[in-house]
Amino acid sequence: MQRSVNHFYSLAAFIFLCMALSATANATDGTIASRDAAVEGVKIHYLTAGHGPAVILLHGYTQTSRMWRPIIPLLAEKFTVIAPDLPGIGESGIPKDGLDMKTAAIRIHALAKSLGVEKARVVGHDIGLMVAYAYAAQFPLETEKLAVMDAFLPGVAGWEAVYDDPNVWHFRFHGPTPEALVSGRERTYFAYLWNDLAADKTRSLPRADREAYVAAYSQPGRMRAGWAYFAAWPQTAKDFAQLAQAKLAIPVLAIGGEKSLGEVLGQQMKLVATDVTLVVLKDTGHWVMEERPKETMEALMKFL
């Protein structure tokens, strides 16, 4: 009887040890944590995982930090990943002012500093690309590398043709009347962007992501906050024209779609940086992470 009891407790101890080891492994295998931080009186929500040099991932318009979930576990094997919701978007607080690229970059930098980050590699897509550039240009000694994905830089030569293109009317679609028109129809409005800006809408954002983003931007004040970044572009153009006078000396990777802004972005980055690698993805539109996930993530992993 005693032998059976001892065997039982030995087995129980073994099972407990296996569970403990499994829990320890799961804590370091790239599991994504969701956290909040107070930055200059504004809540910044962010995802984080991994250990090592810091990588900051900045999402684009119609999206949140959720867009980076496929690549975070891969990066977490070598890096500490920080993927915030931009101020005003997702689960981050809506500040009273400063919903522009330059100020957003300052807030993201303050978040990084609060987390003990001295230097970072910064990645941005769409409007997140603009915030990422503003981060690198304002804090060049604290930015190790910069990766930018399919958009353009207001204020840098070549931007006017993109901004004034009538086919991208949504750049100027903001204000009280557009807000009233879109209210309750966020899904229809975003579907236009997700479908029409992709080379093939069947390779664009998956349904689960679409549902999550519609829910996020449908909350009170969120559509207005997202549009504020577009409304700030005339000021951003002035800011970037000044920042671009000092070229970035760090390595820069530009990734864009062949059927979107890949070539334009590449030419612009060569005007603002001295060490630029350009990747233009064939038969690809604006949503490079979703349309060409393998190629995009491989390029990022190799560069970072």
Side-chain angles (χ1 to χ4, degrees), residues 39-273:
V39 177
E40 299 178 354
V42 178
K43 183 185 86 169
I44 300 295
H45 176 76
Y46 65 99
L47 304 177
T48 187
H51 300 281
V55 172
I56 299 173
L57 306 175
L58 303 174
H59 66 85
Y61 179 64
T62 79
Q63 297 177 293
T64 67
S65 56
R66 176 188 175 97
M67 73 162 283
W68 301 111
R69 282 187 173 271
I71 198 174
I72 289 177
L74 301 177
L75 289 170
E77 294 178 5
K78 297 196 300 181
F79 301 103
T80 295
V81 183
I82 302 167
D85 287 344
L86 292 177
I89 297 177
E91 296 182 45
S92 288
I94 302 176
K96 294 180 180 179
D97 52 29
L99 284 171
D100 61 84
M101 313 307 175
K102 187 176 179 180
T103 307
I106 292 171
R107 288 183 169 128
I108 298 302
H109 175 259
L111 169 66
K113 296 294 283 186
S114 74
L115 298 176
V117 173
E118 296 297 329
K119 292 187 177 183
R121 304 166 194 206
V122 186
V123 182
H125 173 249
D126 190 74
I127 62 171
L129 169 162
M130 302 173 195
V131 178
Y133 170 72
Y135 187 113
Q138 291 179 98
F139 309 105
L141 298 180
E142 298 174 57
T143 308
E144 295 179 304
K145 295 181 179 182
L146 173 66
V148 291
M149 295 163 51
D150 208 88
F152 64 100
L153 296 178
V156 176
W159 84 283
E160 298 92 345
V162 180
Y163 187 57
D164 293 333
D165 186 340
N167 293 319
V168 284
W169 52 268
H170 59 275
F171 287 165
R172 293 179 172 85
F173 188 73
H174 51 76
T177 299
E179 188 174 346
L181 290 170
V182 170
S183 180
R185 305 177 184 86
E186 292 87 356
R187 188 184 313 277
T188 301
Y189 169 63
F190 279 168
Y192 152 72
L193 297 170
W194 294 327
N195 295 341
D196 288 30
L197 298 187
D200 177 354
K201 67 179 181 181
T202 65
R203 296 177 61 91
S204 185
L205 277 67
R207 181 178 297 276
D209 287 353
R210 294 182 182 220
E211 295 295 332
Y213 297 144
V214 167
Y217 283 82
S218 297
Q219 298 302 311
R222 294 297 179 175
M223 191 64 72
R224 186 184 311 164
W227 278 340
Y229 287 96
F230 290 102
W233 274 358
Q235 180 58 47
T236 295
K238 296 177 182 178
D239 294 336
F240 282 11
Q242 183 175 11
L243 291 173
Q245 292 178 18
K247 278 195 171 187
L248 298 176
I250 57 173
V252 173
L253 171 66
I255 305 175
E258 177 192 38
K259 296 186 176 180
S260 186
L261 296 169
E263 292 292 347
V264 171
L265 178 60
Q267 293 304 313
Q268 283 194 312
M269 295 313 299
K270 290 175 183 178
L271 296 175
V272 303

Side-chain angles (χ1 to χ4, degrees), residues 55 57 68 71 74-75 78-79 121-124 145-150 251-257 265 276-282 284 288-289 292-304:
V55 172
L57 306 175
W68 301 111
I71 198 174
L74 301 177
L75 289 170
K78 297 196 300 181
F79 301 103
R121 304 166 194 206
V122 186
V123 182
K145 295 181 179 182
L146 173 66
V148 291
M149 295 163 51
D150 208 88
V252 173
L253 171 66
I255 305 175
L265 178 60
V276 179
T277 300
L278 174 61
V279 174
V280 178
L281 299 171
K282 188 177 181 180
T284 305
V288 293
M289 271 287 290
R292 299 290 175 187
K294 180 177 182 293
E295 295 89 338
T296 300
M297 288 193 285
E298 284 181 351
L300 286 172
M301 294 297 295
K302 180 180 179 181
F303 173 73
L304 295 171

